[in-house]
């Protein structure tokens, strides 16, 4: 693998997505899906005509809406689409725009036909890795943009070939046996001070090592320049250790952003087997870095993105990710430059991506906009036998449900005090970097065992509180005995935000009850004390809330609790004639 700057090809351009100004750029992320075909003659779509029509629909819309970057996954775009782009100016990107399209395989005859095209306003470039090869086809990525070659305005089509085949032996030998390997990764830039863009085609990411980083450092300003990195995939296991290592490498330095794009969830092979049978998640995503003071994590932003299938998680406090819903075919996303040098501080803030429009295809080729997409968490809860009315309510905010789960299972950061319920402080939104498993109850698209274990544990804790603890007021310690007649339910009241979501029970009419009750399962004395202490930190000294915290846990089969044994009961005048008070 070698890295070639477009300067060395006498190509210049001025792409919006590589500028370092304060304006947001628009992306089309096309999560193509279909029946996948692979044999010794070609790799791509079974139905190439349908795929062509879909791509033309996407590119026409991109042209109409002046989209800055269009991206499609590996092996998705038929060569016939590229031929249409060459022949039809209405499909060509406008000045300053970039199409980056993962293409179906190209055989030697097809490569020769591309090389033979000779239009005055067109420049096509790709390396000759095929003339003397005994293999059958390349795996191409098409960069298509307006620029200059040798000082003349041209439509530039720069074609990069995959340099490493996917795994054989335990999967399929088709690609290892047939792939003509390229040797070049192109680096696209506007100038020496702009963002640089480079792409890796699927399994190339598994082969990235220190040797290549050194070459980038020595020759391509890797340390100092901002980089937008694209990872195009046809990948049944995008969270494989090697791909996770590549993501860690991509975000190890500042001024980095990574877009990964895979085929959609309904993709199948010719035999009907689904591509994602093992983990059920394409993991198309935007990985980015920004500090808390710049990130927009206000509830409206997180909820609006979520409702359109863009799911927020964070790896570390400055390393974030939005996963794309696995069912949506086309996302329109707005995002700022990887690194901004124009404007003042307030204008340079990198708030994170925003999705404004989502689409799917109807009648195979017509794009239709969707207003909202389900995350299916209610189906998941029903499947696990959860009966909690608040969690099953489709009109309750998913974010409030995550908050309720966090405090009801004792997972709070007490040091954050009144800000404990902010998204960036919630345990739910943590993504484990080593295996990409997550703690959310409302992002269930991966079925990795660790993620499933967390969800199942949370469901069990909710069931314990709902079915065994709250209905039985004989289990209440003295500090909350005054709530024994209230028919407590695990939920937030409508005004829970006024109390910073610190009280997680309501009475039978939904009114807030000033108590914080959690269940943490089988736990050691240290875990019980730590949970109790963290909850204590949420309240100021002398306030009622400090005295009405109860941590339930088990020792063997016995239910135990930790509360303040010195707290007096906050007795209220009962409204229930059957009250014990």
């Amino acid at each position: 693998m070698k890295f070639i700057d477009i300067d060395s090809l006498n190509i210049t351009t001025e792409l919006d997505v590589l500028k370092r100004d304060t304006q947001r750029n628009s992306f089309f992320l096309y999560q193509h899906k279909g029946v996948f075909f692979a044999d010794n003659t070609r790799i791509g779509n079974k139905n190439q005509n349908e795929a062509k029509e879909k791509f033309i629909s996407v590119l026409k819309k991109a042209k109409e809406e002046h989209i800055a970057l269009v991206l499609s996954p590996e092996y998705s775009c038929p060569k016939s689409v590229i031929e249409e782009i060459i022949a039809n100016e209405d499909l060509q990107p406008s000045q300053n725009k970039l199409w980056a399209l993962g293409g179906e395989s190209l055989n030697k005859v097809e490569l020769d036909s591309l090389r033979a095209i000779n239009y005055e306003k067109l420049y096509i470039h790709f390396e000759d890795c095929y003339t003397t090869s005994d293999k059958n086809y390349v795996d191409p990525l098409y960069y298509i943009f307006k620029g200059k070659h040798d000082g003349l305005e041209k439509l530039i089509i720069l074609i990069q070939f995959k340099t490493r085949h996917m795994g054989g032996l335990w999967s399929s030998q088709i690609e290892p046996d047939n792939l003509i390997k390229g040797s070049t990764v192109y680096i696209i830039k506007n100038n020496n001070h702009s963002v640089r863009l480079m792409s890796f085609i699927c399994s190339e990411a598994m082969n990235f090592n220190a040797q290549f980083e050194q070459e980038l450092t020595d020759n391509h300003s890797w340390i100092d320049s901002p980089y937008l990195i694209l990872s195009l995939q046809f990948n049944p296991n995008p969270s494989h250790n090697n791909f996770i290592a590549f993501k860690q490498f991509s975000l190890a330095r500042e001024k980095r952003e990574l877009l990964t794009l895979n085929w959609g969830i309904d993709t199948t092979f010719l035999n009907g087997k689904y591509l994602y049978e093992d983990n059920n998640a394409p993991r198309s995503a935007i990985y980015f870095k920004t500090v808390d003071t710049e990130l927009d994590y206000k509830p409206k932003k997180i909820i609006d993105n979520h409702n359109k299938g863009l799911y927020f998680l964070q790896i570390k406090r400055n390393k974030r990710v939005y996963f794309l819903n696995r069912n949506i075919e086309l996302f329109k996303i707005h995002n700022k430059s990887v690194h901004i040098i124009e404007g003042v501080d307030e204008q340079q803030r990198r708030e994170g991506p925003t999705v404004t429009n989502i689409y799917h295809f109807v009648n195979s080729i017509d794009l239709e906009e969707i207003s909202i997409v389900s995350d299916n968490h209610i189906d998941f809860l029903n499947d696990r036998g959860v009966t909690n009315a608040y969690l099953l309510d489709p009109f309750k905010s998913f974010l409030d449900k995550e908050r309720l789960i966090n405090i009801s299972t004792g997972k709070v950061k007490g040091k954050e005090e009144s800000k404990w319920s902010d998204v960036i402080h919630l345990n739910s939104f943590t993504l484990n970097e080593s295996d990409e498993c997550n703690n959310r109850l409302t992002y269930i698209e991966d079925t990795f065992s660790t993620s499933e274990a967390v969800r199942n544990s949370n469901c069990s804790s909710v069931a314990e509180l709902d079915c065994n603890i709250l209905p039985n007021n004989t289990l209440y310690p003295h500090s909350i005995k005054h709530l024994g007649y209230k028919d407590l339910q695990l939920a937030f009241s409508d005004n829970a935000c006024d109390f910073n979501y610190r009280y997680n029970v309501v009475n039978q009419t939904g009114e807030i009850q000033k108590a914080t009750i959690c269940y943490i399962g089988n736990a050691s004395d240290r875990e019980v004390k730590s949970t109790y202490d963290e909850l204590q930190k949420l309240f100021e000294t002398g306030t009622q809330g400090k005295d009405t915290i109860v941590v339930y846990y088990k020792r063997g089969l016995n239910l135990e609790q930790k509360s303040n044994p010195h707290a007096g009961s906050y007795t209220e005048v009962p409204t229930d004639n059957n009250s014990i008070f």
Side-chain angles (χ1 to χ4, degrees):
M1 187 185 295
K2 59 186 177 183
F3 299 91
I4 300 294
D5 194 307
I6 62 169
D7 278 356
S8 67
L9 304 175
N10 296 323
I11 296 173
T12 59
T13 191
E14 187 70 17
L15 300 174
D16 287 344
V17 76
L18 302 184
K19 294 175 181 177
R20 298 175 70 177
D21 61 19
T22 60
Q23 294 291 107
R24 296 194 308 169
N25 292 305
S26 55
F27 299 166
F28 265 7
L29 302 184
Y30 175 35
Q31 200 169 222
H32 180 72
K33 65 182 180 181
V35 179
F36 190 75
F37 179 92
D39 69 6
N40 295 328
T41 63
R42 73 176 184 91
I43 298 180
N45 299 277
K46 177 187 177 184
N47 190 334
Q48 293 177 295
N49 290 331
E50 180 181 270
K52 174 185 175 181
E53 294 302 318
K54 286 184 174 182
F55 266 90
I56 287 175
S57 294
V58 169
L59 296 180
K60 281 182 176 178
K61 191 167 189 63
K63 182 71 177 278
E64 291 169 1
E65 300 190 13
H66 311 290
I67 300 299
L69 172 66
V70 179
L71 185 63
S72 77
E74 177 188 25
Y75 284 131
S76 61
C77 182
K79 175 175 173 283
S80 57
V81 174
I82 308 305
E83 293 168 342
E84 287 283 339
I85 292 171
I86 292 171
N88 185 353
E89 287 191 11
D90 291 338
L91 287 178
Q92 296 173 7
S94 302
Q95 201 73 29
N96 312 120
K97 314 304 180 184
L98 172 65
W99 300 170
L101 308 177
E104 292 187 324
S105 65
L106 296 172
N107 62 36
K108 295 177 184 180
V109 173
E110 291 169 322
L111 289 167
D112 283 337
S113 70
L114 284 171
R115 177 153 281 171
I117 296 174
N118 185 20
Y119 294 160
E120 181 181 353
K121 294 185 177 181
L122 172 70
Y123 177 67
I124 298 177
H125 176 85
F126 52 86
E127 63 178 310
D128 184 0
C129 58
Y130 67 96
T131 302
T132 61
S133 174
D134 64 346
K135 301 299 187 290
N136 292 327
Y137 43 70
V138 296
D139 178 357
L141 158 62
Y142 302 97
Y143 290 120
I144 306 172
F145 56 94
K146 298 288 179 67
K148 291 182 179 180
H149 177 248
D150 290 338
L152 300 176
E153 293 283 350
K154 304 271 187 177
L155 173 67
I156 308 292
I157 300 182
L158 181 62
I159 311 176
Q160 177 177 313
F161 302 140
K162 188 177 185 178
T163 62
R164 294 288 187 273
H165 62 72
M166 68 176 69
L169 188 59
W170 305 119
S171 54
S172 169
Q173 291 291 341
I174 289 177
E175 195 181 69
D177 287 348
N178 293 281
L179 183 71
I180 302 170
K181 294 191 298 183
S183 63
T184 301
V185 172
Y186 295 107
I187 295 179
I188 300 176
K189 65 184 185 184
N190 293 343
N191 53 62
N192 287 334
H193 304 290
S194 75
V195 175
R196 286 161 162 80
L197 181 147
M198 65 178 177
S199 300
F200 296 90
I201 305 171
C202 202
S203 48
E204 287 181 328
M206 301 174 71
N207 298 96
F208 209 88
N209 56 42
Q211 167 197 342
F212 301 124
E213 183 174 15
Q214 191 60 53
E215 182 182 343
L216 287 168
T217 300
D218 292 343
N219 301 310
H220 300 286
S221 188
W222 177 249
I223 304 297
D224 298 322
S225 293
Y227 269 80
L228 175 60
I229 302 168
L230 310 181
S231 177
L232 285 63
Q233 303 181 25
F234 177 83
N235 188 356
N237 189 9
S239 292
H240 184 281
N241 289 340
N242 289 339
F243 286 99
I244 290 174
F246 173 73
K247 294 166 190 174
Q248 292 171 340
F249 158 78
S250 298
L251 297 180
R253 298 187 181 278
E254 298 304 313
K255 298 183 285 189
R256 299 289 186 266
E257 191 155 300
L258 171 66
L259 304 185
T260 68
L261 190 62
N262 211 343
W263 284 52
I265 188 64
D266 293 329
T267 298
T268 65
F269 296 99
L270 290 175
N271 62 7
K273 180 181 179 182
Y274 282 93
L275 174 62
Y276 304 107
E277 275 194 356
D278 293 334
N279 59 47
N280 214 27
R283 303 297 245 187
S284 299
I286 304 171
Y287 295 82
F288 63 105
K289 301 184 79 169
T290 192
V291 295
D292 289 353
T293 53
E294 294 189 4
L295 177 70
D296 184 357
Y297 57 89
K298 294 189 293 292
K300 184 179 188 311
K301 167 73 171 276
I302 300 297
I303 292 170
D304 286 350
N305 275 345
H306 181 97
N307 287 339
K308 290 190 179 294
L310 202 59
Y311 305 128
F312 178 76
L313 289 157
Q314 59 183 13
I315 301 167
K316 293 179 180 175
R317 285 290 294 277
N318 70 335
K319 198 183 289 188
R320 334 280 180 162
V321 59
Y322 272 105
F323 284 115
L324 277 60
N325 178 281
R326 61 193 177 188
N327 292 296
I328 299 301
E329 290 174 87
L330 182 64
F331 292 80
K332 182 179 180 181
I333 290 172
H334 297 270
N335 202 14
K336 284 187 175 179
S337 173
V338 175
H339 188 258
I340 301 169
I341 55 176
E342 295 185 6
V344 298
D345 288 348
E346 291 80 2
Q347 296 166 323
Q348 293 178 354
R349 289 174 178 158
R350 299 192 67 247
E351 301 96 342
T354 299
V355 57
T356 55
N357 308 86
I358 54 177
Y359 306 87
H360 68 174
F361 280 100
V362 293
N363 304 323
S364 297
I365 59 173
D366 297 320
L367 280 169
E368 178 180 72
E369 185 168 359
I370 307 166
S371 60
I372 190 170
V373 60
S374 173
D375 59 27
N376 297 314
H377 78 270
I378 291 178
D379 291 339
F380 173 86
L381 293 172
N382 281 321
D383 187 55
R384 297 302 189 277
V386 173
T387 58
N388 182 274
Y390 190 92
L391 295 177
L392 295 176
D393 188 339
F395 299 105
K396 298 298 184 186
S397 158
F398 88 91
L399 183 50
D400 285 351
K401 293 180 184 182
E402 295 286 4
R403 288 168 170 149
L404 183 65
I405 287 292
N406 276 228
I407 198 164
S408 301
T409 57
K411 300 181 183 76
V412 301
K413 295 179 181 178
K415 66 179 182 180
E416 304 299 340
E417 298 177 337
S418 63
K419 296 183 180 296
W420 82 269
S421 59
D422 288 353
V423 167
I424 59 172
H425 301 312
L426 290 173
N427 174 268
S428 283
F429 291 87
T430 300
L431 185 74
N432 186 354
E433 189 169 25
S434 65
D435 58 11
E436 292 203 327
C437 291
N438 78 92
N439 298 328
R440 281 185 59 174
L441 193 66
T442 57
Y443 171 67
I444 59 172
E445 290 198 353
D446 76 74
T447 54
F448 299 117
S449 58
T450 305
S451 299
E452 288 279 82
V454 171
R455 294 182 204 123
N456 290 336
S457 174
N458 286 336
C459 288
S460 296
S461 294
V462 167
E464 186 71 23
L465 286 165
D466 265 345
C467 301
N468 299 328
I469 295 173
L470 294 181
N472 187 354
N473 59 22
T474 64
L475 298 174
Y476 294 5
H478 186 65
S479 59
I480 62 168
K481 279 292 185 184
H482 61 286
L483 300 177
Y485 66 92
K486 294 284 191 174
D487 187 21
L488 294 185
Q489 300 168 37
L490 192 67
F492 285 135
S493 64
D494 290 341
N495 65 336
C497 61
D498 297 339
F499 300 89
N500 298 312
Y501 297 96
R502 292 175 297 186
Y503 302 117
N504 64 333
V505 288
V506 298
N507 64 12
Q508 57 267 44
T509 61
E511 296 173 316
I512 196 167
Q513 302 301 300
K514 293 186 177 180
T516 306
I517 302 172
C518 74
Y519 173 73
I520 61 173
N522 284 283
S524 66
D525 287 342
R526 181 187 60 80
E527 291 169 322
V528 173
K529 182 179 185 303
S530 175
T531 301
Y532 184 79
D533 290 347
E534 289 300 303
L535 290 168
Q536 284 276 312
K537 293 174 186 176
L538 300 181
F539 299 91
E540 296 177 4
T541 302
T543 59
Q544 177 181 345
K546 267 193 174 302
D547 290 335
T548 55
I549 295 169
V550 186
V551 177
Y552 287 97
Y553 60 98
K554 278 189 177 177
R555 287 291 164 76
L557 298 177
N558 296 323
L559 183 68
E560 309 283 350
Q561 56 83 17
K562 180 174 176 60
S563 59
N564 184 353
H566 306 295
S569 177
Y570 289 83
T571 305
E572 301 172 3
V573 176
T575 58
D576 182 350
N577 292 332
N578 296 318
S579 170
I580 62 172
F581 289 96

